[in-house]
Amino acid sequence: NTGTSSSLVGPGKFTRDQLVSGVKKKQFKRVAFLTGAGISVAAGIPDFRTPKIGLYSQLKDFGLPHPEEIFSLEFLLHNPEPFYAVSNRYLQFKAKPALAHRFIKHFADQGTLMMDYTQNIDGLELDVGIPSNLLVQAHGHMRSAHCSEEKCKAEADMRLYTRHVRREEVLYCKVCKSGIVKPDIVFFGEKLPKQFNQKFNSINKADLVVIMGTSLKVQPFSTLLATLPTTTPLVVMNYTNPTLKGKDTVERENLLFLEGDIEVSVSDLMRDIGWDYGQKGKKKATKSKVVKGKAANGKK
């Protein structure tokens, strides 16, 4: 069958069965993912905003006016020590890709992954084998570091930077001697990577969009959804539905909300599609709850 998503999904109708069938038959040919920290929780990396266990809830002892300040460029330039301490304790990722990452990789292997837009800085998408040309790391990554001085921007030795982080000792640029070295993650107050801007509008070409593990609260990543035609099939795998904005809720004709644990939702889908999902997917777990259309928020 060489039909497109339009032959699969009629106005106001999009079911889990249609999703599974369409993926099996490769009827979705331009699949886009919007992913956030929630997909890496199963890999042992805490998300940012979950009360009590998220990264921001762990920063009370760092003297920050607001937890988000740890990723503020202005704050870093005036007081870099807290970021180096947080980097050592929370941002030295020693994790392996979770099932959600492998799920996306299957679409790449199938030749149907158009683009994976991720807010994550852990690099697990690359570790699982998703091609870099199909990945937009909207908030940067931890694989390289540069001087923060606008007139310098010299690249730093990553081994030297890592040693300083582990000692929680600020590294200053070896070229200009004054700039604070920071990893190539996007801080509040910085522009997003050119790659994001170049590929921002391509989401309009997607014939299926899957949201996993993000609250879509941070601009401009959150505006991606607003640019998507309301007729495009949209799958949301989350504890809560980020497409719900109260009075600002946009009615979507083809919305499928799989409420609950992302790894459970993914393993169930991979099993039904016929993809290998490994030992993690074989454990017994409560099935994800399917909620169509305007779903009520779940609880974290």
Side-chain angles (χ1 to χ4, degrees), residues 30-57:
R30 299 181 303 279
V31 182
F33 281 83
L34 305 182
T35 62
I39 71 169
S40 293
V41 170
I45 299 173
D47 66 11
F48 289 87
R49 300 178 186 278
T50 300
K52 297 183 181 179
I53 60 173
L55 174 63
Y56 288 155
S57 68

Side-chain angles (χ1 to χ4, degrees), residues 261-274:
D261 186 279
I262 295 169
E263 293 284 287
V264 174
S265 296
V266 166
S267 64
D268 288 348
L269 283 172
M270 291 176 74
R271 178 198 63 224
D272 293 345
I273 292 168

Side-chain angles (χ1 to χ4, degrees), residues 15-271:
T15 67
R16 188 181 181 282
D17 287 343
Q18 286 175 311
L19 172 63
V20 170
S21 175
V23 173
K24 267 186 176 181
K25 298 175 182 178
K26 299 185 182 180
Q27 290 174 303
F28 297 111
K29 301 185 182 301
R30 299 181 303 279
V31 182
F33 281 83
L34 305 182
T35 62
I39 71 169
S40 293
V41 170
I45 299 173
D47 66 11
F48 289 87
R49 300 178 186 278
T50 300
K52 297 183 181 179
I53 60 173
L55 174 63
Y56 288 155
S57 68
Q58 309 298 315
L59 304 184
K60 296 176 182 177
D61 298 330
F62 286 90
L64 303 171
H66 305 287
E68 291 85 354
E69 289 294 300
I70 200 66
F71 295 114
S72 162
L73 182 61
E74 183 179 0
F75 187 85
L76 175 80
L77 297 179
H78 289 90
N79 187 11
E81 286 81 6
F83 177 76
Y84 271 72
V86 170
S87 292
N88 179 45
R89 300 174 204 182
Y90 300 106
L91 300 181
Q92 296 299 298
F93 305 120
K94 296 179 181 178
K96 294 182 179 179
L99 202 56
H101 300 97
R102 289 164 52 196
F103 182 61
I104 302 170
K105 174 64 161 51
H106 272 288
F107 284 88
D109 293 342
Q110 192 186 58
T112 58
L113 178 63
M114 186 189 79
M115 197 62 60
D116 177 11
Y117 299 87
T118 184
Q119 294 171 295
N120 297 342
I121 60 175
D122 53 45
L124 293 180
E125 296 85 3
L126 294 172
D127 290 346
V128 83
I130 294 171
S132 59
N133 65 309
L134 299 179
L135 179 66
V136 175
Q137 294 177 291
H139 293 172
H141 54 78
M142 301 282 289
R143 297 188 304 279
S144 56
H146 285 77
C147 173
S148 58
E149 281 290 333
E150 195 64 38
K151 295 180 180 179
C152 180
K153 296 294 184 183
E155 185 170 3
D157 183 322
M158 259 323 265
R159 290 173 296 180
L160 179 62
Y161 171 74
T162 301
R163 286 200 295 270
H164 275 254
V165 166
R166 287 175 179 164
R167 295 198 299 261
E168 300 186 9
E169 179 182 313
V170 178
L171 174 63
Y172 289 90
C173 179
K174 299 298 181 182
V175 177
C176 71
K177 309 299 183 184
S178 60
I180 297 161
V181 173
K182 63 175 282 294
D184 290 340
I185 60 177
V186 180
F187 279 56
F188 294 113
E190 288 189 297
K191 294 179 181 179
L192 266 69
K194 290 181 180 178
Q195 183 194 33
F196 179 84
N197 295 321
Q198 291 167 350
K199 298 183 177 180
F200 183 93
N201 290 324
S202 64
I203 195 171
N204 291 324
K205 300 174 184 176
D207 57 12
L208 174 67
V209 174
V210 182
I211 296 174
M212 297 194 299
T214 174
S215 61
L216 295 179
K217 288 184 178 180
V218 180
Q219 295 282 359
F221 190 93
S222 58
T223 61
L224 279 170
L225 190 59
T227 68
L228 186 69
T230 57
T231 53
T232 302
L234 178 66
V235 180
V236 178
M237 284 186 262
N238 245 349
Y239 279 107
T240 58
N241 185 348
T243 69
L244 291 178
K245 305 291 183 183
K247 293 180 181 179
D248 299 323
T249 296
V250 176
E251 293 282 357
R252 300 203 66 90
E253 295 181 6
N254 298 312
L255 170 65
L256 173 63
F257 179 32
L258 301 178
E259 181 182 1
D261 186 279
I262 295 169
E263 293 284 287
V264 174
S265 296
V266 166
S267 64
D268 288 348
L269 283 172
M270 291 176 74
R271 178 198 63 224

